[in-house]
Amino acid sequence: MSKEKAGATMADVAREAGVALGTVSRVVNGQQVGEEFRAKVEEAIRRLGYQYNSTGRTLRTGHTNTIALIVPNTITPYFALLVHYVNMALEKRNCRMLLCFSEYDRDREIEMIQMAKQNQVDGIIALTYNPNLVIPDDIPFVTIDRFFSTSVPCIASDNFGGGHLAANKLKELGCSRVAFLQVSSTITNEPSKRKDGFVSACVELGLPFEVLVLEDGQPYTLLEDFLENHMENGKLILDGLFVGTDTLAWRVIQSLKKMHVSVPEDVQIIGFDGIRMFGNMEPVVSTIVQPVADIAETCVSTVLSKHFANVPSLICLPVTYLYGGTTKA
Amino acid sequence: MSKEKAGATMADVAREAGVALGTVSRVVNGQQVGEEFRAKVEEAIRRLGYQYNSTGRTLRTGHTNTIALIVPNTITPYFALLVHYVNMALEKRNCRMLLCFSEYDRDREIEMIQMAKQNQVDGIIALTYNPNLVIPDDIPFVTIDRFFSTSVPCIASDNFGGGHLAANKLKELGCSRVAFLQVSSTITNEPSKRKDGFVSACVELGLPFEVLVLEDGQPYTLLEDFLENHMENGKLILDGLFVGTDTLAWRVIQSLKKMHVSVPEDVQIIGFDGIRMFGNMEPVVSTIVQPVADIAETCVSTVLSKHFANVPSLICLPVTYLYGGTTKA
DNA sequence: ATCAATTCATGATACGTATCATGAAGATGC
DNA sequence: GCATCTTCATGATACGTATCATGAATTGAT
C-alpha cells in the first residue's frame, strides 16, 4: 500500500515510534526490550514495512550468512544434485549460497576464492581438481571428494566401500570375470579409491579381474579398444563391469550396443554416483549411489560449525546399491 | 607472506602511502589521480595486499553487482543449463549470482523475492509458475517463459515457431497422422504456444492431428491410455508425435517400448528443449532446441540494462531442430 | 606580472546497522 | 528512608566505502 521508494531504515522506524535507534535494533534482533517500547516499535515496523538491510548488518557484524560453493559446473548431473542439496541445507539455516563455476580451470578457482573472500562469505565449500590449490586459513573451508590436509575438512562418500560393494554384488550376481573401467582425473582424490575397494574385494573373493584406468585426456577410443580386445567369437569374455561413473557407464553401454553385446544378459554393469535421467526418473544404470543429500548437509553443517577448528578432517558417508536395469538384480 | 589477519582497509593503505583516504578510493576506482600519488598508492596496495571490501562499497553505492536467479530447482536438466549460462553471462560482466530454488512453491517465490531485495540485489531473473505473483516495481525484474505485463520484460524462445517447425519436420519426414502430447502447467505461459504453433502448422499442411494435454496433476497413465487407444492390430496408428518436453518424450518412448512400438521405425518423435544426456553427450531424442545460452545472455543484458524502463517487453529467440535418433533424420 | 581557469589532493560526510558506555528509573534490602 | 542493585532506553561510535565541497597549486591568457 505505502509508497516507500527506498525501504525504510531503522532511523525511520525510530522516528515513527518515537524511540531511540538502538531500541529498534534490539527489537529487530530479539533482545530484551520493555513491553510498551516493543509494541510501539513493532507497530512502526508494520506501518513502514521495514525490512532490515543486510548490507548494513554485514558491515557491522562482519558476517554475511552466505557460503560460497565452488563446483566445476551445473550441467553435469552430479554437480547439479549437489548444488541443489547444498542450497537446501543452507536455506534451512537461513543462509544464502554464492555459486561459482570453476569449469575445471585452476586459475578461475583461485579467482573465485578471492572473490568470495572479498564478498565476505562466512565459509567456502569447494569441489576442486586443482592439484596445488592454496587453501585460505582465515575462513572456514570444506572440500568435497578431495583430501588436502588435516586442517581442511573433507567430505566424501565411502568410495572404497563402494568399490567393495560393487565387486561383491557382481560376484553375487554370478559374474566370473570382471573389470574396472575409469577415466581418472589428473589428481589423486577420494574417488580414486573406488578402484582400490574393487580390487581389494576381488582379491578377497578370488574373482578374476582386470583394470583399465584412462588418464584424463586420453581418447575414449582406448576404452573401446579394450572392449574389442576382450571379444572372442563375437562374445565378450567379461561378464561383469564396474565403471567409475554413471556417465562413463552409459558410454560403455552405448559402445557395447554397437558391438551387439547385450546388457545385462551378456555382461552386467554397475556404475557409480546414482544419477537419474532428467533428475527424477528411473536410474539409467545399476549403480552405487552417493548420498548426495547427506554429503551436502554434512558440508554445510561442517562449514558453519561454531568450533570449526575441532571438526574431523575426513568424513566418509555410506553408499548403497541401486538396481537400474543393467544388472540382473 | 604477510599475516594480515583481517584484510587491509583503505584507511590502512592511505596511512601506508601517506595520502588521504579519498585519494586511495580514486585510485581503486580508476579515476584521475596524479602520477606520483597513484604510484605511491599502488605500491602501498601491493605491499598490504589490499582488496576492496564489497560490503562497504555496497553500503555506499547501493548496488551489489549481484543478480538473483529464481528457478524451481537445478535437478531438472533444462534449469541446470539455464543456471549455468546465466552465471556465465553474469560473470562476464563482473556480476555475482544469488541462486534461489522455488521448488514450484508460490510462497517460497514470494519469500525469495523479498529476501533478494533485502540483500540489495541489482535485479531479479525469475522462471516462475506462480499464477498471481506480485512483481516488485522498484527493482529490474525479468521473467523467463512467462509474460506478466508490458512493464515486465519476458524472455522466451520462439515456442510457437518451434511447434510450427516440429509439424513441418514430421510432415517432411513422411508422417501422415500425428499428435501433440503435453503435460501443461497450471498457468498459461509461453511454452503453451508450442501447441498453438503445431496445430497451426498442421492445419496449413493439411496434416491430420490430435492433441492431448494433461492438466498438471493428472496421472501419467492417461497418456499411456491415449497411446493404447491408438493401437490397431498391434500397430500404432499414429506415425509422428510432437511432445512438449524432452523429459516427457523420454517417458513416452519408454512406454512405447513396453508396447513393442519401435522408434523411429513405427513412429517418429520430436521433443522440445534440447536436453543432452549427462549434460554433454548426444541428445536423447530428436528435438526442438531452445537457445539456452542466448536466453541467459538476453536475460542478463536486459536486467542489467541502463535504460531498463525502455526495454522491449517480450523477446522471442529462435529455436532449431536437432536430430537425436527418434526420427528418421 | 596579474588574474582567471583548471587540476587534483584533502577532509568531512553519509550509507544502515550492532553494540558499548552512560545514566535514569524502578526494585530490593536493611 | 537511604543505599545498593537491577533493568533498560538513550546517544554515540565504528564498520569500509564513494563522493561532495573546499582550497591549494599549477597552468594559460592577457
Side-chain angles (χ1 to χ4, degrees), chain B:
Chain B
M1 250 350 113
S2 60
K3 285 265 183 180
E4 309 306 329
K5 189 64 188 178
T9 163
M10 276 194 176
D12 298 332
V13 174
R15 202 176 314 119
E16 175 84 8
V19 302
L21 186 62
T23 306
V24 178
S25 174
R26 291 167 59 201
V27 169
V28 170
N29 291 1
Q31 315 213 15
Q32 202 169 35
V33 176
E35 209 35 70
E36 67 232 287
F37 283 82
R38 156 158 284 129
K40 277 197 289 185
V41 170
E42 279 170 350
E43 169 61 15
I45 285 178
R46 212 185 47 67
R47 209 153 43 212
L48 269 55
Y50 168 79
Q51 299 173 205
Y52 75 81
N53 176 300
S54 65
T55 306
R57 183 174 286 186
T58 293
L59 186 58
R60 184 59 169 87
T61 63
H63 56 81
T64 49
N65 288 331
T66 299
I67 295 292
L69 175 61
I70 302 177
V71 291
N73 61 59
T74 197
I75 296 178
T76 305
Y78 179 68
F79 299 143
L81 274 180
L82 196 59
V83 167
H84 188 261
Y85 286 113
V86 166
N87 193 336
M88 287 317 186
L90 285 171
E91 195 175 311
K92 211 165 61 182
R93 295 166 172 83
N94 252 310
C95 278
R96 260 75 57 197
M97 180 176 77
L98 179 63
L99 184 55
C100 312
F101 298 140
S102 70
E103 300 214 304
Y104 301 102
D105 179 330
R106 57 185 69 176
D107 291 334
R108 285 176 54 110
E109 284 177 353
I110 293 171
E111 284 169 24
M112 303 192 134
I113 291 175
Q114 171 157 341
M115 184 272 281
K117 287 176 67 174
Q118 209 162 261
N119 279 70
Q120 292 190 263
V121 299
D122 297 339
I124 300 178
I125 302 172
L127 196 162
T128 156
Y129 294 89
N130 189 331
N132 41 13
L133 190 65
V134 177
I135 309 279
D137 59 355
D138 52 354
I139 183 175
F141 199 108
V142 169
T143 62
I144 300 176
D145 274 357
R146 181 87 186 288
F147 183 80
F148 278 82
S149 83
T150 53
S151 62
V152 182
C154 168
I155 320 289
S157 50
D158 182 5
N159 289 282
F160 188 93
H164 209 92
L165 178 54
N168 278 281
K169 205 72 197 180
L170 289 177
K171 169 85 177 184
E172 179 188 326
L173 291 170
C175 295
S176 59
R177 188 166 171 189
V178 300
F180 172 78
L181 306 177
Q182 173 65 311
V183 175
S184 89
S185 52
T186 48
I187 53 151
T188 302
N189 54 11
E190 292 301 308
S192 311
K193 296 183 182 166
R194 290 168 195 177
K195 183 191 74 178
D196 305 335
F198 184 74
V199 168
S200 149
C202 285
V203 170
E204 282 174 23
L205 295 164
L207 184 59
F209 69 95
E210 297 182 51
V211 168
L212 175 68
V213 176
L214 255 55
E215 292 304 310
D216 189 29
Q218 288 190 287
Y220 176 72
T221 51
L222 287 179
L223 218 151
E224 287 183 328
D225 291 346
F226 175 89
L227 294 173
E228 295 281 3
N229 291 340
H230 287 75
M231 295 290 280
E232 275 178 17
N233 310 325
K235 292 203 55 172
L236 192 68
I237 56 174
L238 299 164
D239 58 3
L241 296 177
F242 174 44
V243 189
T245 287
D246 287 345
T247 308
L248 189 60
W250 177 259
R251 297 193 70 160
V252 168
I253 291 165
Q254 304 304 327
S255 298
L256 289 173
K257 191 183 287 179
K258 283 184 205 136
M259 296 161 62
H260 304 291
V261 175
S262 50
V263 179
E265 292 78 9
D266 299 337
V267 56
Q268 300 186 67
I269 298 184
I270 296 180
F272 206 108
D273 277 349
I275 299 306
R276 286 160 185 275
M277 189 69 164
F278 297 115
N280 59 0
M281 299 185 55
E282 62 279 0
V284 287
V285 298
S286 296
T287 189
I288 306 297
V289 183
Q290 295 206 55
V292 190
D294 281 356
I295 291 176
E297 180 70 26
T298 307
C299 285
V300 169
S301 67
T302 302
V303 79
L304 291 176
S305 169
K306 292 295 174 198
H307 312 287
F308 185 77
N310 306 338
V311 132
S313 59
L314 181 56
I315 301 178
C316 233
L317 299 170
V319 295
T320 52
Y321 171 77
L322 175 67
Y323 169 73
T326 57
T327 49
K328 290 175 180 163

Side-chain angles (χ1 to χ4, degrees), chain A residues 199-219:
Chain A
V199 168
S200 150
C202 286
V203 170
E204 282 174 23
L205 296 165
L207 184 59
F209 69 94
E210 297 182 51
V211 167
L212 175 68
V213 176
L214 257 54
E215 292 304 311
D216 189 30
Q218 288 189 286

Side-chain angles (χ1 to χ4, degrees), chain A residues 215-235:
Chain A
E215 292 304 311
D216 189 30
Q218 288 189 286
Y220 176 73
T221 52
L222 288 180
L223 218 150
E224 288 183 327
D225 292 347
F226 175 88
L227 294 174
E228 295 280 4
N229 291 340
H230 286 75
M231 294 290 280
E232 274 178 20
N233 310 326
K235 292 204 55 174

Side-chain angles (χ1 to χ4, degrees), chain A residues 52 55 74 80 91 108 118 120, chain B residues 52 55 74 80 108 118 120:
Chain A
Y52 76 80
T55 306
T74 198
E91 195 176 310
R108 284 177 54 112
Q118 209 161 259
Q120 293 189 261
Chain B
Y52 75 81
T55 306
T74 197
R108 285 176 54 110
Q118 209 162 261
Q120 292 190 263

